[in-house]
Amino acid sequence: MSSRSSLAFATRARAATPGATPAVRSLSSSASSSRRGGAVGAGARRGGGGKNAAFSSVLFSSSHSHRHQQHQHRMGRRGGENRGSIGRGFRGKMTTMASLSSSSSTMQQNPDGFAQIDLFSPSKINLFLRIVRRREDGYHDLASLFHVIDLGDEMSFAKSSSETKDTLVCEDASIPLDESNLVIKALNLFRAKTGIKQYFWVELKKTVPSGAGLGGGSGNAATALYAANKLCGDVATEEELLEWSGDIGSDISVFFSTGAAYCTGRGEIVEDVEPPLPLTTKMCLVKPSIGLSTPTIFKALDLDKRSKAEPLDLLKSLNADGCTYENAINDLERPAFSKLPELGELKDKLIDATKEDGAVVFMSGSGSTIVLLGTDTVPKFAMEDDDLFKSKARLISRKKGEWFVPSNV
Ligand code: C5P
């Protein structure tokens, strides 16, 4: 692809693509000027309001309603609530989100004398998501602008004295703590790739909902790889961690980008780009309590009904005009709304309710999160609906060698 030369660099699992000219200009100025001119909200909008029917069909076993409560708070202030130590089963004391926001990783000694590291585990949105083709192996090649965001979990890691297993602690009963958890898969991967026979204590405090299209579990896995590597003395490079991460999931690699990444292949080919929007861009997330299963949504995609837009044209448009309804395209919206019609109705209602704010409203990943880009105000109908998860969020980036921290915007 000729326009690849406009991207800073590409790294894929196992086969690093040689670096290309870092020619993507910083678009902060053009994006913000177009936002002033209303471009964030420009373009075609879906019509209709639709009833916000009860979300009755269960497509994903999601039980995070208690987390919804937590997020009602976050709407009022930045950085999350309930910041103390999780306290159950973990030997250290978790660093609070507030202190995580000032440093990317805090290494300290825990009461058992082991080094402990506390990290913020971010999530992501897809500013556009085009599905390119269905592959023989059942996966889909995609082309998407992923952006890391500061809705995230808190994680603490320490070396364990166990010679047989990792210990994962999480108060959220819906989170599996065994080998099916991507965190344990990531630690197994780290041992297999490095040959280091070190097991770990991990404490996870979940905030990011599951089945949301936000890559919360993938962010946990990436954070675990980063932490294990730090605790073991940086035996691997970040490029190696990125390459290895493709073995256990398609969405993990993006967390080894610097924040904004044009991703292709299954999602594991990551090209860092300049953030196309100012990191100060206002954003809210709204999600029904029902999550969506990624394989189900990919299977339900009718390839004849995809957008015909060229992904690299979408990237150009995003860079030049900011986020608009013309470029905020997600090919997975149609199958997600066919599986969960209430989600399409929720999107319509959110579009109607945010017209005045000039927000652009779209689904992230395979859903069921709806992103409201360009506003910090969740519409009243959504604020009053206790079944909806609501959170403010911000786009974030990081410097190579440091880990992500929540936005201070
Ligand atoms: O790779 P990951 O485990 O995140 O993918 C979960 C599922 O989502 C896959 O088993 C596949 O069904 C679907 N998927 C896909 N194409 C992708 C990514 C995921 O079909 N690019």
Side-chain angles (χ1 to χ4, degrees), residues 189-190 193-194 236 239-248:
L189 180 75
F190 179 77
K193 295 289 186 185
T194 61
E239 285 70 26
E240 283 174 318
L241 298 179
L242 187 161
E243 286 167 32
W244 300 344
S245 68
D247 286 6
I248 54 169

Side-chain angles (χ1 to χ4, degrees), residues 138-140 142 249-250 266 294-295 298:
Y139 279 91
H140 296 75
L142 52 82
S250 310
R266 284 185 293 123
T294 303
F298 270 104

Side-chain angles (χ1 to χ4, degrees), residues 38 45 53 74 92 123 127 154 203 217 223 233 251 288 307-308 347 362 389 393:
R45 288 166 186 262
R74 200 185 170 202
S123 59
L127 288 168
E154 293 170 58
E203 184 168 18
T223 306
D251 272 3
S307 158
K308 297 201 171 24
K347 183 188 173 192
F362 54 91
F389 167 97

Side-chain angles (χ1 to χ4, degrees), residues 154-176:
E154 293 170 58
M155 298 184 81
S156 280
F157 300 84
K159 286 181 174 177
S160 163
S161 53
S162 169
E163 291 179 3
T164 54
K165 62 174 179 48
D166 300 302
T167 302
L168 174 60
V169 178
C170 180
E171 284 190 335
D172 184 335
S174 71
I175 303 297

Side-chain angles (χ1 to χ4, degrees), residues 9-13 119 122-124 146-148 186 189-190 217-230 234 236-261 263 267-273 397-404:
F9 75 83
T11 312
R12 83 177 292 157
L119 293 170
S123 59
K124 59 83 184 169
F146 280 66
H147 211 305
V148 180
L189 180 75
F190 179 77
S218 299
N220 294 162
T223 306
L225 278 174
Y226 182 88
N229 193 42
K230 273 271 164 271
D234 282 323
T237 63
E238 281 186 26
E239 285 70 26
E240 283 174 318
L241 298 179
L242 187 161
E243 286 167 32
W244 300 344
S245 68
D247 286 6
I248 54 169
S250 310
D251 272 3
I252 303 171
S253 314
V254 66
F255 295 101
F256 292 103
S257 75
T258 48
C263 297
E268 89 287 15
I269 304 175
V270 172
E271 306 187 27
D272 268 324
V273 297
S397 63
R398 70 173 179 120
K399 289 199 193 99
K400 287 256 167 206
E402 295 179 4
W403 197 239
F404 293 99

